[in-house]
Amino acid sequence: MKKYIRIAALIYVIFLALFWILASGGIRVKGLFIEDFVYQTDAKPLLSGNISKRTTSYTTSTLKRVLPWQWEEPIENTYILDIMKGESFCGGNFTGYVGKFAQLNYVIIDPDRGQGRQGGENISEVLNQPEENEHYILQSGYFKLNCKKKIYYNFNAKSHLRQWLNVLITTAENPAYKVTYDSWTIAVKRYEYVNLYHTMTDFYNAFLVSKAFEMQPGNITILWIDGHPSGTLDITWKTLFGPILRAGYIQQPSMFNHMVWGIMGYDSPLNKHNSKNMPYLEEFRKFFLSRHNIPTKSELNCTKLKVMFLWRRDYVTHPRNPSGSVSRKIQNENELLNSARKHFVGHDIFGIQIDKLDMKNQLKLIAHVDILIGMHGAGLSHTLFLPKHAGLIELYPTYWSNTNIHFKAMARWRNLYYLTWTNNDRSKELPNKYIIVDVKAVTDLIGKMKRNVCR
């Protein structure tokens, strides 16, 4: 009997110890690492800190256990080595890299020097809101560094990082602060925040700097310096990288021990469509799928190909388009499906408005699609996550030039098969941006793509 009492007492002591660790914010080893696992926190980490010990207390109400990510060696090319050739100032506490991004150590944000909407509202609350209302305005002193000399560094001409550097002040005195963020932070200013293509450039940029500095996904704070309302892609940021902090939620002067001013979305390598290759793209695919717990491998079965039509349909995504109207919509969706199913019996052929699904369910489909078909549009960014053997068929109306090669470039970078069709009959283009697609032409392209994929 005494033996069982001792065992029960031991279990009780262990339980109390575990409860104390979680209640106190966990074991602190470079942030929130606990026993080689990463714990993700809430999207609004309003923090309090101990100034003398420089520790951070995160909210722990929705801790999530995630396996650590292992970065692959940069064996594809020397891209990371090239972009990490930096110019340092302030004893190394400010380093600019190739005019595109910067690393700051022990930088303080003063929220009194920032103005704008907090953001995060439901879109129904801000319909018709002007875009300028979603900009977060920074004044001199928003960023502060303990440094005797002013920093002069040349960021790319159109990058907002020029303005961020202009509002950074250096001071010989130690600026006061009340909150400390100990783990890595990537500061991002988003532009077309609900457009999958433009957000993908932001995701890829954050991936690149995370890899460059060997950050641990799940333990990276993403700081949005903007005031956008809530968007469908917001949760993907948290899934990929870690907790989200909006600039408008910072209430007290806060020290960020390790901050990166991220690469501007429009300055992304993904926007360089004529580039011969794109660095680490297969690792990016693996990273994106793995962070959503989606298997990265898909076997090709030529007796039952998975063929997906990606439909563009009206839906509300941001305040400037309250009607939700989109262009490049296909009028004869069912006709296309029926023809494909008739000519390719036994294959899995279907159509979907994929943006109605959450990202994980989108990826579950895309990761196993053998042939993807769709009008030119942001949804074709999923070309990045198709299996390595897959093919893309891209469709264009007359009013949208096929010189827009965003997705053709993605297919080329990944060595996927690519075919295209452009409408030349204006009578097939209808009011409200609908188009009647040539059924025979698309059916023939599917046949050609099947031969390519299954050679």
Side-chain angles (χ1 to χ4, degrees):
M1 186 68 176
K2 291 182 178 179
K3 177 181 178 182
Y4 293 112
I5 292 174
R6 286 196 297 271
I7 292 173
L10 179 61
I11 292 172
Y12 179 72
V13 170
I14 293 172
F15 174 80
L16 286 178
L18 289 172
F19 178 81
W20 178 84
I21 288 172
L22 289 175
S24 62
I27 300 172
R28 179 179 174 272
V29 183
K30 293 184 180 179
L32 296 174
F33 286 100
I34 303 177
E35 299 178 352
D36 292 326
F37 287 87
V38 178
Y39 283 75
Q40 292 180 251
T41 63
D42 287 339
K44 298 180 182 179
L46 301 178
L47 312 184
S48 59
N50 184 315
I51 298 174
S52 62
K53 295 183 179 180
R54 290 193 176 183
T55 60
T56 304
S57 175
Y58 285 82
T59 57
T60 57
S61 59
T62 57
L63 291 179
K64 179 182 178 182
R65 196 178 193 187
V66 181
L67 287 172
W69 170 258
Q70 298 295 324
W71 293 108
E72 297 178 2
E73 292 296 321
I75 58 176
E76 294 180 29
N77 51 50
T78 60
Y79 183 81
I80 290 293
L81 297 178
D82 288 341
I83 66 172
M84 291 302 287
K85 295 174 181 177
E87 184 179 356
S88 293
F89 306 85
C90 289
N93 284 337
F94 182 101
T95 305
Y97 295 95
V98 295
K100 290 188 175 184
F101 64 104
Q103 177 192 3
L104 294 82
N105 297 323
Y106 310 114
V107 61
I108 292 172
I109 283 182
D110 183 351
D112 290 338
R113 309 304 297 167
Q115 296 179 348
R117 301 185 70 93
Q118 284 191 340
E121 309 94 338
N122 187 289
I123 191 172
S124 62
E125 301 173 22
V126 291
L127 288 178
N128 296 305
Q129 173 176 264
E131 185 173 3
E132 53 267 27
N133 286 15
E134 298 172 16
H135 295 166
Y136 202 75
I137 308 302
L138 309 184
Q139 299 172 345
S140 180
Y142 184 77
F143 296 107
K144 296 177 181 177
L145 271 179
N146 180 212
C147 182
K148 294 181 179 180
K149 296 182 178 180
K150 183 175 176 61
I151 297 170
Y152 295 96
Y153 183 75
N154 190 27
F155 287 107
N156 291 353
K158 296 182 179 180
S159 176
H160 58 255
L161 299 189
R162 284 184 168 233
Q163 195 261 336
W164 287 11
L165 184 59
N166 286 338
V167 301
L168 183 150
I169 64 171
T170 54
T171 172
E173 299 179 357
N174 289 316
Y177 62 95
K178 295 185 177 180
V179 177
T180 299
Y181 291 77
D182 188 46
S183 59
W184 281 101
T185 297
I186 302 177
V188 178
K189 180 177 180 179
R190 301 170 300 158
Y191 292 88
E192 300 179 56
Y193 69 105
V194 289
N195 178 287
L196 181 61
Y197 171 77
H198 290 287
T199 304
M200 195 63 67
T201 64
D202 282 329
F203 290 152
Y204 181 69
N205 292 347
F207 160 83
L208 286 177
V209 298
S210 298
K211 179 178 175 66
F213 293 102
E214 296 185 324
M215 303 177 193
Q216 183 56 241
N219 198 44
I220 304 167
T221 297
I222 298 295
L223 170 60
W224 288 335
I225 304 184
D226 59 53
H228 296 306
S230 179
T232 55
L233 296 171
D234 291 1
I235 189 63
T236 306
W237 281 98
K238 183 178 178 182
T239 302
L240 293 176
F241 301 105
I244 304 301
L245 175 64
R246 292 178 181 270
Y249 292 146
I250 301 176
Q251 301 297 315
Q252 302 179 84
S254 301
M255 167 81 81
F256 291 81
N257 288 352
H258 310 286
M259 177 181 285
V260 171
W261 287 355
I263 304 169
M264 182 182 185
Y266 296 126
D267 211 12
S268 174
L270 283 182
N271 268 332
K272 313 300 181 185
H273 304 139
N274 291 317
S275 299
K276 291 183 178 180
N277 53 58
M278 193 55 46
Y280 315 112
L281 212 52
E282 294 308 314
E283 185 177 3
F284 178 63
R285 175 183 183 268
K286 180 180 178 182
F287 165 77
F288 211 101
L289 294 178
S290 298
R291 294 297 297 168
H292 287 85
N293 294 316
I294 305 296
T296 59
K297 294 183 179 180
S298 178
E299 298 298 326
L300 175 62
N301 179 1
C302 285
T303 63
K304 194 176 181 62
L305 293 176
K306 188 179 289 290
V307 181
M308 177 194 285
F309 285 88
L310 208 59
W311 307 134
R312 286 176 61 84
R313 294 173 180 167
D314 294 343
Y315 81 116
V316 178
T317 58
H318 64 79
R320 265 75 61 197
N321 186 13
S323 68
S325 178
V326 301
S327 61
R328 286 161 279 139
K329 295 172 289 194
I330 296 175
Q331 175 70 31
N332 55 332
E333 294 174 350
N334 289 335
E335 193 178 1
L336 287 169
L337 277 177
N338 291 337
S339 177
R341 288 168 178 166
K342 177 182 176 181
H343 286 81
F344 306 100
V345 177
H347 297 287
D348 184 7
I349 301 172
F350 62 100
I352 189 169
Q353 182 186 353
I354 202 168
D355 46 46
K356 286 291 189 180
L357 305 177
D358 62 40
M359 183 56 71
K360 182 168 184 176
N361 283 312
Q362 292 183 38
L363 295 171
K364 279 182 179 179
L365 290 174
I366 288 293
H368 301 287
V369 166
D370 302 302
I371 301 175
L372 178 63
I373 309 166
M375 298 293 291
H376 176 88
L380 294 188
S381 301
H382 278 301
T383 299
L384 294 172
F385 311 122
L386 291 170
K388 291 183 179 181
H389 61 257
L392 169 65
I393 300 175
E394 185 172 13
L395 314 176
Y396 291 88
T398 60
Y399 57 83
W400 208 272
S401 173
N402 57 13
T403 59
N404 289 281
I405 60 170
H406 309 57
F407 313 111
K408 181 179 182 179
M410 289 180 179
R412 174 167 49 82
W413 293 328
R414 296 201 57 225
N415 294 315
L416 305 180
Y417 298 101
Y418 178 86
L419 296 171
T420 185
W421 171 84
T422 300
N423 178 46
N424 293 314
D425 184 354
R426 292 186 179 275
S427 70
K428 300 295 185 182
E429 294 180 2
L430 310 176
N432 198 22
K433 301 297 183 180
Y434 280 100
I435 178 174
I436 299 175
V437 172
D438 188 323
V439 175
K440 183 180 184 306
V442 171
T443 303
D444 289 346
L445 286 174
I446 296 173
K448 184 176 181 180
M449 185 63 79
K450 179 186 175 184
R451 292 190 292 273
N452 287 339
V453 169
C454 295
R455 342 183 126 159

